[in-house]
Structure formats: C-alpha cells, structure tokens
Amino acid sequence: MIETQIKQYLSSNGFGTFSPKAVLFDMDGVLYDSMPNHAVAWQESMKKFGIHFTTADAYATEGARGVDTIRQFVKEQQGRNITLEEAQRMYDEKSRIFHEMPEAPIFDGVIPLMEKIRQAGLSVNVVTGSGQHSLIQRLLHDFSHFLDEEHITTAYDVVRGKPFADPYLKGLEKAGGLKPFEGIVVENAPLGVKAGVNAHIFTVAINSGPLPDAALLEQGAHLLYDKIKSFNGDWDNFSSFFAHSK
C-alpha cells in the first residue's frame, strides 16, 4: 500500500525520487486535539456578528486563514465585502473566546513520532493557518526538543492561505529551500490536504475529526490514518521506502 502510493505520487508529479528531509505538520487537529474548542469559538463569535457558523463549517474551513474564512462567510450571508481590518477584528473575538477555553491536549503519538523523525535525520516543521502569538509560543514550549521558530510557518507568512500551495511552499523554503519531493505533509483538514497536494508534496492525512474519510481522500491524500498514533506506529515501515540521497 505505502510503496504503491509513493510510486503513484512520483509518477503523477514527474519526480524520480522520494527523499524526505522535512516533515511539515499542520497544528490544530494534528498536533493538538483542539478542533472541538475551535468549533465552539467559531460558532459563538460569529453569532455575535450575525453569521451562522456550524461545527461542520469549522472542520470544513480548517486550515484557511481565519480572516479569509470570515470574509467568505460575510460575503455569502450578508452580501458585502469587508476589509481585512474588519475581518481581523472579528477574528480577534474568535481568538478571545478560544483562549478562555481549557487548553487542548497534545495527541498521543505526537512526541514519539517527532523523536523518530529526528532520529531519521529529518527536520520537524509546522505550517498553520493560525497567526496567534500565544499558540506559536505554546508550540515552541511543547516541542522545544524538535522545533524552533524558524521552522514555523503562520498565516502572516503568506498572502494566500490553504488550500493554495503557498503555506507549504513557504514551509519548504523555511525548512532549507527544499524541493516538494523532499517533504512530507501531515494534515487533518480537506483544505490542508489540498494545499499539500497543490504544492506537490507527499501528503499524509490524519482523520482526527468527524469528517468522512472520503473528504480527505477526495482532496488527494496519499495515505490516510485514523489517528496520529497509528501513523507513529507505521513510521518505520513508511520510512523504509525513503531514498536516502544527500
């Protein structure tokens, strides 16, 4: 299964080798079990601005820049175009509510997986649609043995967020100016999977939420796991197919 998917990935992108040097993780729903909190914060904050926003909407739009999601929903429901400044004020309210909620735990399997990645000689990177300073600081605290600020890509590093390729292309740049076949994306959201695929990077989907597997596979995910702990358990098998070129 893994070997077949890698061969298909190489063939469809016209690459001759799969030689990863970096793993690029999404944050919410991949590293942290935070999406339930985000869903509540989205619903409560948008209601204050007259926007109907459901739990399903939160998962479907996850990974996009928050301001882009807000501008889209305002346009669709209220028929008006708002400025980035107004969208940012609305997003600030969403962030305020989110930070009043209990801190989301790290998913089981994340730390052991990062350790295996480091032992394999690959760098750990994060590519998130968030731009909240407190969340970035938590990443640096929780994963200090594996991650530094230079290897974190946020909403403020790109003009176009997921599902555009830009965030993951920027992530490759921060990881050392890598080529797409030198990276691995780990995502849990349809928009994020599509962004990884659009960047021509091998993309592993972790279905940590309520969406059907098809929602991720239809966006082009090359591998799918039910939880990141399962991906950790399969890492040795997966990494056996890497081409260790220098």
Side-chain angles (χ1 to χ4, degrees), residues 72-90:
Q72 172 193 335
F73 272 68
V74 170
K75 176 66 173 178
E76 290 176 353
Q77 296 187 24
Q78 298 181 353
R80 61 191 184 95
N81 294 309
I82 61 173
T83 64
L84 281 174
E85 289 75 18
E86 183 176 353
Q88 184 64 55
R89 288 194 295 271
M90 295 169 70

Side-chain angles (χ1 to χ4, degrees), residues 5 56 141 173 222:
Q5 292 302 105
H141 174 269
E173 180 185 323
H222 301 104

Side-chain angles (χ1 to χ4, degrees), residues 27-28 38 41-42 45-46 49 64-70 82 84-99 128-132 135 155-156:
M27 181 174 66
D28 294 303
H38 279 291
W42 272 117
S45 61
M46 292 304 100
F49 299 101
R65 298 194 311 168
V67 290
D68 293 336
T69 297
I70 290 169
I82 61 173
L84 281 174
E85 289 75 18
E86 183 176 353
Q88 184 64 55
R89 288 194 295 271
M90 295 169 70
Y91 185 64
D92 288 345
E93 176 61 12
K94 182 263 177 182
S95 299
R96 184 191 66 78
I97 294 173
F98 176 80
H99 287 295
T128 175
S130 175
Q132 299 176 44
L135 293 180
Y156 297 118

